[in-house]
Amino acid sequence: MPDEMPIEDMTLQERLKKADYLARELSEHLRQAYLPRLGSLRSSAKVYDPGEVSDNQILELTLAVLQAEEFTDDLCGRLNQHLNSIAEEMRDMLFRGKAADAEDANQPIFDVDDLLAD
């Protein structure tokens, strides 16, 4: 979307909303477009009679799947950008600004068992 605000200029709340929107859009696209097109191609490719399914039909079905795949890749890329941005900002909040290396990334700020014991 050309009118979309750059991720760096979005607040955390805006990025969360956009990530949620993109996740729902991806789910809907997969259910309503990608998987049905892929299923049509798969079932048509199993027919060995050229009278029933022509090479041109296979080509058209393949192109439809490839077009849906490109749209899926675009959505996934945009969603991953938002999710990575959210994770980066949340990592700073959760780990008190520490550089979150691989060892620190899995260490929580507090221990739930200590809270329950109090």
Side-chain angles (χ1 to χ4, degrees), residues 39-75:
S40 295
L41 175 61
R42 185 174 182 212
S43 63
S44 296
K46 290 181 178 182
V47 176
Y48 296 110
D49 184 11
E52 286 184 45
V53 179
S54 68
D55 290 344
N56 195 33
Q57 287 173 313
I58 295 293
L59 175 63
E60 289 174 4
L61 291 169
T62 302
L63 291 175
V65 169
L66 291 174
Q67 182 183 19
E69 175 70 26
E70 288 175 11
F71 187 76
T72 303
D73 284 342
D74 178 56
L75 274 177

mmCIF file of all heavy atoms in Angstrom, residues 39-75:
data_model
loop_
_atom_site.group_PDB
_atom_site.id
_atom_site.type_symbol
_atom_site.label_atom_id
_atom_site.label_comp_id
_atom_site.label_asym_id
_atom_site.label_seq_id
_atom_site.Cartn_x
_atom_site.Cartn_y
_atom_site.Cartn_z
ATOM 1 N N GLY A 39 -5.942 -26.640 -4.780
ATOM 2 C CA GLY A 39 -6.752 -27.855 -4.865
ATOM 3 C C GLY A 39 -7.256 -28.110 -6.278
ATOM 4 O O GLY A 39 -7.268 -29.253 -6.745
ATOM 5 N N SER A 40 -7.665 -27.051 -6.969
ATOM 6 C CA SER A 40 -8.128 -27.197 -8.360
ATOM 7 C C SER A 40 -6.998 -27.667 -9.256
ATOM 8 O O SER A 40 -7.181 -28.546 -10.103
ATOM 9 C CB SER A 40 -8.654 -25.864 -8.892
ATOM 10 O OG SER A 40 -9.787 -25.472 -8.195
ATOM 11 N N LEU A 41 -5.824 -27.096 -9.078
ATOM 12 C CA LEU A 41 -4.670 -27.518 -9.871
ATOM 13 C C LEU A 41 -4.318 -28.971 -9.581
ATOM 14 O O LEU A 41 -4.080 -29.762 -10.502
ATOM 15 C CB LEU A 41 -3.465 -26.618 -9.587
ATOM 16 C CG LEU A 41 -2.156 -27.027 -10.265
ATOM 17 C CD1 LEU A 41 -2.303 -27.003 -11.790
ATOM 18 C CD2 LEU A 41 -1.021 -26.124 -9.806
ATOM 19 N N ARG A 42 -4.324 -29.331 -8.328
ATOM 20 C CA ARG A 42 -3.968 -30.699 -7.939
ATOM 21 C C ARG A 42 -4.948 -31.720 -8.530
ATOM 22 O O ARG A 42 -4.530 -32.740 -9.085
ATOM 23 C CB ARG A 42 -3.949 -30.813 -6.425
ATOM 24 C CG ARG A 42 -3.485 -32.142 -5.938
ATOM 25 C CD ARG A 42 -3.343 -32.161 -4.445
ATOM 26 N NE ARG A 42 -2.844 -33.446 -4.034
ATOM 27 C CZ ARG A 42 -3.138 -34.026 -2.901
ATOM 28 N NH1 ARG A 42 -3.892 -33.424 -2.040
ATOM 29 N NH2 ARG A 42 -2.649 -35.196 -2.611
ATOM 30 N N SER A 43 -6.240 -31.450 -8.413
ATOM 31 C CA SER A 43 -7.218 -32.407 -8.935
ATOM 32 C C SER A 43 -7.179 -32.452 -10.459
ATOM 33 O O SER A 43 -7.343 -33.520 -11.056
ATOM 34 C CB SER A 43 -8.622 -32.073 -8.436
ATOM 35 O OG SER A 43 -9.019 -30.806 -8.903
ATOM 36 N N SER A 44 -6.940 -31.322 -11.107
ATOM 37 C CA SER A 44 -6.861 -31.310 -12.569
ATOM 38 C C SER A 44 -5.606 -32.007 -13.073
ATOM 39 O O SER A 44 -5.621 -32.641 -14.127
ATOM 40 C CB SER A 44 -6.872 -29.872 -13.094
ATOM 41 O OG SER A 44 -8.094 -29.250 -12.790
ATOM 42 N N ALA A 45 -4.526 -31.889 -12.316
ATOM 43 C CA ALA A 45 -3.277 -32.519 -12.732
ATOM 44 C C ALA A 45 -3.339 -34.042 -12.625
ATOM 45 O O ALA A 45 -2.564 -34.746 -13.277
ATOM 46 C CB ALA A 45 -2.116 -31.993 -11.894
ATOM 47 N N LYS A 46 -4.257 -34.559 -11.850
ATOM 48 C CA LYS A 46 -4.407 -36.009 -11.706
ATOM 49 C C LYS A 46 -5.184 -36.633 -12.860
ATOM 50 O O LYS A 46 -5.180 -37.847 -13.011
ATOM 51 C CB LYS A 46 -5.101 -36.338 -10.388
ATOM 52 C CG LYS A 46 -4.237 -36.066 -9.180
ATOM 53 C CD LYS A 46 -4.965 -36.437 -7.908
ATOM 54 C CE LYS A 46 -4.087 -36.214 -6.709
ATOM 55 N NZ LYS A 46 -4.754 -36.604 -5.459
ATOM 56 N N VAL A 47 -5.843 -35.811 -13.662
ATOM 57 C CA VAL A 47 -6.612 -36.318 -14.800
ATOM 58 C C VAL A 47 -5.655 -36.497 -15.972
ATOM 59 O O VAL A 47 -4.998 -35.553 -16.398
ATOM 60 C CB VAL A 47 -7.751 -35.327 -15.184
ATOM 61 C CG1 VAL A 47 -8.480 -35.823 -16.418
ATOM 62 C CG2 VAL A 47 -8.700 -35.138 -14.011
ATOM 63 N N TYR A 48 -5.589 -37.725 -16.484
ATOM 64 C CA TYR A 48 -4.639 -38.021 -17.550
ATOM 65 C C TYR A 48 -5.257 -37.919 -18.942
ATOM 66 O O TYR A 48 -4.562 -38.075 -19.932
ATOM 67 C CB TYR A 48 -4.031 -39.416 -17.354
ATOM 68 C CG TYR A 48 -3.217 -39.506 -16.086
ATOM 69 C CD1 TYR A 48 -3.652 -40.261 -15.008
ATOM 70 C CD2 TYR A 48 -2.021 -38.811 -15.965
ATOM 71 C CE1 TYR A 48 -2.908 -40.329 -13.841
ATOM 72 C CE2 TYR A 48 -1.267 -38.884 -14.809
ATOM 73 C CZ TYR A 48 -1.712 -39.641 -13.756
ATOM 74 O OH TYR A 48 -0.982 -39.707 -12.601
ATOM 75 N N ASP A 49 -6.542 -37.646 -19.026
ATOM 76 C CA ASP A 49 -7.212 -37.576 -20.314
ATOM 77 C C ASP A 49 -7.146 -36.135 -20.841
ATOM 78 O O ASP A 49 -7.748 -35.237 -20.252
ATOM 79 C CB ASP A 49 -8.679 -38.013 -20.159
ATOM 80 C CG ASP A 49 -9.421 -38.055 -21.476
ATOM 81 O OD1 ASP A 49 -8.773 -37.947 -22.539
ATOM 82 O OD2 ASP A 49 -10.658 -38.192 -21.436
ATOM 83 N N PRO A 50 -6.442 -35.896 -21.958
ATOM 84 C CA PRO A 50 -6.350 -34.539 -22.509
ATOM 85 C C PRO A 50 -7.698 -33.996 -22.976
ATOM 86 O O PRO A 50 -7.868 -32.786 -23.121
ATOM 87 C CB PRO A 50 -5.402 -34.663 -23.685
ATOM 88 C CG PRO A 50 -4.847 -36.033 -23.667
ATOM 89 C CD PRO A 50 -5.635 -36.844 -22.702
ATOM 90 N N GLY A 51 -8.665 -34.875 -23.201
ATOM 91 C CA GLY A 51 -9.994 -34.421 -23.583
ATOM 92 C C GLY A 51 -10.728 -33.757 -22.432
ATOM 93 O O GLY A 51 -11.557 -32.876 -22.623
ATOM 94 N N GLU A 52 -10.440 -34.179 -21.216
ATOM 95 C CA GLU A 52 -11.088 -33.609 -20.034
ATOM 96 C C GLU A 52 -10.367 -32.357 -19.529
ATOM 97 O O GLU A 52 -11.003 -31.370 -19.176
ATOM 98 C CB GLU A 52 -11.142 -34.646 -18.912
ATOM 99 C CG GLU A 52 -12.160 -35.744 -19.130
ATOM 100 C CD GLU A 52 -12.229 -36.662 -17.934
ATOM 101 O OE1 GLU A 52 -12.261 -36.153 -16.793
ATOM 102 O OE2 GLU A 52 -12.239 -37.883 -18.134
ATOM 103 N N VAL A 53 -9.056 -32.432 -19.467
ATOM 104 C CA VAL A 53 -8.250 -31.314 -18.976
ATOM 105 C C VAL A 53 -7.134 -31.048 -19.983
ATOM 106 O O VAL A 53 -6.253 -31.882 -20.190
ATOM 107 C CB VAL A 53 -7.639 -31.622 -17.593
ATOM 108 C CG1 VAL A 53 -6.782 -30.464 -17.112
ATOM 109 C CG2 VAL A 53 -8.721 -31.937 -16.579
ATOM 110 N N SER A 54 -7.172 -29.872 -20.591
ATOM 111 C CA SER A 54 -6.165 -29.538 -21.603
ATOM 112 C C SER A 54 -4.921 -28.939 -20.948
ATOM 113 O O SER A 54 -4.932 -28.545 -19.776
ATOM 114 C CB SER A 54 -6.748 -28.536 -22.610
ATOM 115 O OG SER A 54 -6.959 -27.294 -21.973
ATOM 116 N N ASP A 55 -3.859 -28.871 -21.736
ATOM 117 C CA ASP A 55 -2.624 -28.245 -21.258
ATOM 118 C C ASP A 55 -2.865 -26.772 -20.921
ATOM 119 O O ASP A 55 -2.287 -26.244 -19.972
ATOM 120 C CB ASP A 55 -1.521 -28.359 -22.312
ATOM 121 C CG ASP A 55 -1.020 -29.786 -22.473
ATOM 122 O OD1 ASP A 55 -1.289 -30.616 -21.587
ATOM 123 O OD2 ASP A 55 -0.351 -30.060 -23.484
ATOM 124 N N ASN A 56 -3.719 -26.129 -21.694
ATOM 125 C CA ASN A 56 -4.014 -24.723 -21.451
ATOM 126 C C ASN A 56 -4.719 -24.534 -20.105
ATOM 127 O O ASN A 56 -4.446 -23.565 -19.391
ATOM 128 C CB ASN A 56 -4.867 -24.155 -22.590
ATOM 129 C CG ASN A 56 -4.894 -22.653 -22.581
ATOM 130 O OD1 ASN A 56 -3.911 -22.025 -22.200
ATOM 131 N ND2 ASN A 56 -6.018 -22.072 -22.995
ATOM 132 N N GLN A 57 -5.608 -25.439 -19.748
ATOM 133 C CA GLN A 57 -6.282 -25.360 -18.447
ATOM 134 C C GLN A 57 -5.272 -25.523 -17.312
ATOM 135 O O GLN A 57 -5.333 -24.808 -16.307
ATOM 136 C CB GLN A 57 -7.367 -26.430 -18.332
ATOM 137 C CG GLN A 57 -8.592 -26.139 -19.177
ATOM 138 C CD GLN A 57 -9.563 -27.309 -19.157
ATOM 139 O OE1 GLN A 57 -9.162 -28.463 -19.337
ATOM 140 N NE2 GLN A 57 -10.839 -27.002 -18.934
ATOM 141 N N ILE A 58 -4.343 -26.460 -17.476
ATOM 142 C CA ILE A 58 -3.298 -26.674 -16.469
ATOM 143 C C ILE A 58 -2.442 -25.411 -16.341
ATOM 144 O O ILE A 58 -2.109 -24.977 -15.237
ATOM 145 C CB ILE A 58 -2.421 -27.898 -16.812
ATOM 146 C CG1 ILE A 58 -3.245 -29.184 -16.772
ATOM 147 C CG2 ILE A 58 -1.207 -27.987 -15.883
ATOM 148 C CD1 ILE A 58 -3.734 -29.577 -15.391
ATOM 149 N N LEU A 59 -2.105 -24.814 -17.482
ATOM 150 C CA LEU A 59 -1.319 -23.586 -17.468
ATOM 151 C C LEU A 59 -2.058 -22.466 -16.729
ATOM 152 O O LEU A 59 -1.482 -21.782 -15.884
ATOM 153 C CB LEU A 59 -0.994 -23.141 -18.897
ATOM 154 C CG LEU A 59 -0.274 -21.800 -19.030
ATOM 155 C CD1 LEU A 59 1.089 -21.854 -18.371
ATOM 156 C CD2 LEU A 59 -0.166 -21.406 -20.487
ATOM 157 N N GLU A 60 -3.331 -22.285 -17.026
ATOM 158 C CA GLU A 60 -4.122 -21.239 -16.372
ATOM 159 C C GLU A 60 -4.231 -21.488 -14.872
ATOM 160 O O GLU A 60 -4.114 -20.547 -14.068
ATOM 161 C CB GLU A 60 -5.508 -21.148 -16.997
ATOM 162 C CG GLU A 60 -5.503 -20.569 -18.388
ATOM 163 C CD GLU A 60 -6.858 -20.622 -19.068
ATOM 164 O OE1 GLU A 60 -7.848 -21.052 -18.424
ATOM 165 O OE2 GLU A 60 -6.935 -20.240 -20.242
ATOM 166 N N LEU A 61 -4.444 -22.722 -14.487
ATOM 167 C CA LEU A 61 -4.526 -23.056 -13.066
ATOM 168 C C LEU A 61 -3.184 -22.823 -12.368
ATOM 169 O O LEU A 61 -3.133 -22.317 -11.236
ATOM 170 C CB LEU A 61 -4.986 -24.497 -12.874
ATOM 171 C CG LEU A 61 -6.447 -24.783 -13.255
ATOM 172 C CD1 LEU A 61 -6.706 -26.287 -13.282
ATOM 173 C CD2 LEU A 61 -7.384 -24.093 -12.289
ATOM 174 N N THR A 62 -2.102 -23.170 -13.043
ATOM 175 C CA THR A 62 -0.764 -22.974 -12.484
ATOM 176 C C THR A 62 -0.475 -21.482 -12.312
ATOM 177 O O THR A 62 0.063 -21.059 -11.282
ATOM 178 C CB THR A 62 0.296 -23.617 -13.381
ATOM 179 O OG1 THR A 62 0.001 -25.010 -13.523
ATOM 180 C CG2 THR A 62 1.689 -23.470 -12.795
ATOM 181 N N LEU A 63 -0.823 -20.692 -13.310
ATOM 182 C CA LEU A 63 -0.613 -19.248 -13.219
ATOM 183 C C LEU A 63 -1.441 -18.639 -12.087
ATOM 184 O O LEU A 63 -0.979 -17.720 -11.395
ATOM 185 C CB LEU A 63 -0.936 -18.574 -14.551
ATOM 186 C CG LEU A 63 0.032 -18.881 -15.695
ATOM 187 C CD1 LEU A 63 -0.462 -18.255 -16.996
ATOM 188 C CD2 LEU A 63 1.435 -18.411 -15.365
ATOM 189 N N ALA A 64 -2.644 -19.147 -11.882
ATOM 190 C CA ALA A 64 -3.485 -18.655 -10.782
ATOM 191 C C ALA A 64 -2.846 -18.976 -9.433
ATOM 192 O O ALA A 64 -2.847 -18.142 -8.525
ATOM 193 C CB ALA A 64 -4.880 -19.260 -10.875
ATOM 194 N N VAL A 65 -2.279 -20.170 -9.307
ATOM 195 C CA VAL A 65 -1.610 -20.551 -8.066
ATOM 196 C C VAL A 65 -0.368 -19.683 -7.849
ATOM 197 O O VAL A 65 -0.116 -19.204 -6.738
ATOM 198 C CB VAL A 65 -1.235 -22.052 -8.070
ATOM 199 C CG1 VAL A 65 -0.307 -22.394 -6.912
ATOM 200 C CG2 VAL A 65 -2.487 -22.905 -8.007
ATOM 201 N N LEU A 66 0.387 -19.436 -8.922
ATOM 202 C CA LEU A 66 1.586 -18.607 -8.796
ATOM 203 C C LEU A 66 1.228 -17.163 -8.414
ATOM 204 O O LEU A 66 1.929 -16.535 -7.616
ATOM 205 C CB LEU A 66 2.387 -18.625 -10.095
ATOM 206 C CG LEU A 66 3.062 -19.956 -10.422
ATOM 207 C CD1 LEU A 66 3.709 -19.905 -11.799
ATOM 208 C CD2 LEU A 66 4.091 -20.314 -9.356
ATOM 209 N N GLN A 67 0.146 -16.652 -8.960
ATOM 210 C CA GLN A 67 -0.306 -15.306 -8.609
ATOM 211 C C GLN A 67 -0.715 -15.255 -7.134
ATOM 212 O O GLN A 67 -0.367 -14.312 -6.415
ATOM 213 C CB GLN A 67 -1.479 -14.899 -9.498
ATOM 214 C CG GLN A 67 -1.985 -13.505 -9.238
ATOM 215 C CD GLN A 67 -3.204 -13.173 -10.090
ATOM 216 O OE1 GLN A 67 -3.881 -14.073 -10.604
ATOM 217 N NE2 GLN A 67 -3.487 -11.904 -10.235
ATOM 218 N N ALA A 68 -1.425 -16.267 -6.680
ATOM 219 C CA ALA A 68 -1.817 -16.325 -5.268
ATOM 220 C C ALA A 68 -0.585 -16.475 -4.376
ATOM 221 O O ALA A 68 -0.530 -15.902 -3.285
ATOM 222 C CB ALA A 68 -2.786 -17.489 -5.033
ATOM 223 N N GLU A 69 0.415 -17.203 -4.864
ATOM 224 C CA GLU A 69 1.660 -17.385 -4.107
ATOM 225 C C GLU A 69 2.399 -16.056 -3.957
ATOM 226 O O GLU A 69 2.915 -15.745 -2.879
ATOM 227 C CB GLU A 69 2.555 -18.407 -4.807
ATOM 228 C CG GLU A 69 3.917 -18.594 -4.180
ATOM 229 C CD GLU A 69 3.875 -19.290 -2.842
ATOM 230 O OE1 GLU A 69 2.923 -20.046 -2.595
ATOM 231 O OE2 GLU A 69 4.796 -19.061 -2.043
ATOM 232 N N GLU A 70 2.438 -15.256 -5.004
ATOM 233 C CA GLU A 70 3.093 -13.949 -4.930
ATOM 234 C C GLU A 70 2.396 -13.046 -3.908
ATOM 235 O O GLU A 70 3.053 -12.355 -3.130
ATOM 236 C CB GLU A 70 3.101 -13.272 -6.303
ATOM 237 C CG GLU A 70 4.060 -13.894 -7.283
ATOM 238 C CD GLU A 70 3.962 -13.278 -8.672
ATOM 239 O OE1 GLU A 70 3.295 -12.231 -8.838
ATOM 240 O OE2 GLU A 70 4.570 -13.845 -9.597
ATOM 241 N N PHE A 71 1.078 -13.061 -3.920
ATOM 242 C CA PHE A 71 0.322 -12.261 -2.961
ATOM 243 C C PHE A 71 0.583 -12.756 -1.539
ATOM 244 O O PHE A 71 0.751 -11.958 -0.609
ATOM 245 C CB PHE A 71 -1.174 -12.307 -3.290
ATOM 246 C CG PHE A 71 -2.005 -11.382 -2.453
ATOM 247 C CD1 PHE A 71 -2.025 -10.025 -2.696
ATOM 248 C CD2 PHE A 71 -2.772 -11.882 -1.407
ATOM 249 C CE1 PHE A 71 -2.790 -9.161 -1.916
ATOM 250 C CE2 PHE A 71 -3.537 -11.038 -0.629
ATOM 251 C CZ PHE A 71 -3.547 -9.672 -0.883
ATOM 252 N N THR A 72 0.647 -14.073 -1.370
ATOM 253 C CA THR A 72 0.933 -14.670 -0.065
ATOM 254 C C THR A 72 2.315 -14.252 0.423
ATOM 255 O O THR A 72 2.480 -13.885 1.591
ATOM 256 C CB THR A 72 0.842 -16.209 -0.143
ATOM 257 O OG1 THR A 72 -0.462 -16.570 -0.611
ATOM 258 C CG2 THR A 72 1.099 -16.857 1.207
ATOM 259 N N ASP A 73 3.303 -14.299 -0.465
ATOM 260 C CA ASP A 73 4.659 -13.888 -0.091
ATOM 261 C C ASP A 73 4.704 -12.425 0.335
ATOM 262 O O ASP A 73 5.379 -12.070 1.308
ATOM 263 C CB ASP A 73 5.629 -14.110 -1.249
ATOM 264 C CG ASP A 73 5.998 -15.564 -1.436
ATOM 265 O OD1 ASP A 73 5.793 -16.369 -0.505
ATOM 266 O OD2 ASP A 73 6.501 -15.903 -2.526
ATOM 267 N N ASP A 74 3.982 -11.577 -0.392
ATOM 268 C CA ASP A 74 3.941 -10.154 -0.048
ATOM 269 C C ASP A 74 3.326 -9.949 1.331
ATOM 270 O O ASP A 74 3.871 -9.219 2.165
ATOM 271 C CB ASP A 74 3.147 -9.383 -1.110
ATOM 272 C CG ASP A 74 3.039 -7.913 -0.783
ATOM 273 O OD1 ASP A 74 4.099 -7.265 -0.597
ATOM 274 O OD2 ASP A 74 1.897 -7.402 -0.711
ATOM 275 N N LEU A 75 2.204 -10.611 1.580
ATOM 276 C CA LEU A 75 1.553 -10.491 2.887
ATOM 277 C C LEU A 75 2.452 -11.001 4.011
ATOM 278 O O LEU A 75 2.565 -10.366 5.062
ATOM 279 C CB LEU A 75 0.240 -11.270 2.907
ATOM 280 C CG LEU A 75 -0.995 -10.565 2.401
ATOM 281 C CD1 LEU A 75 -2.190 -11.520 2.419
ATOM 282 C CD2 LEU A 75 -1.312 -9.340 3.199
#
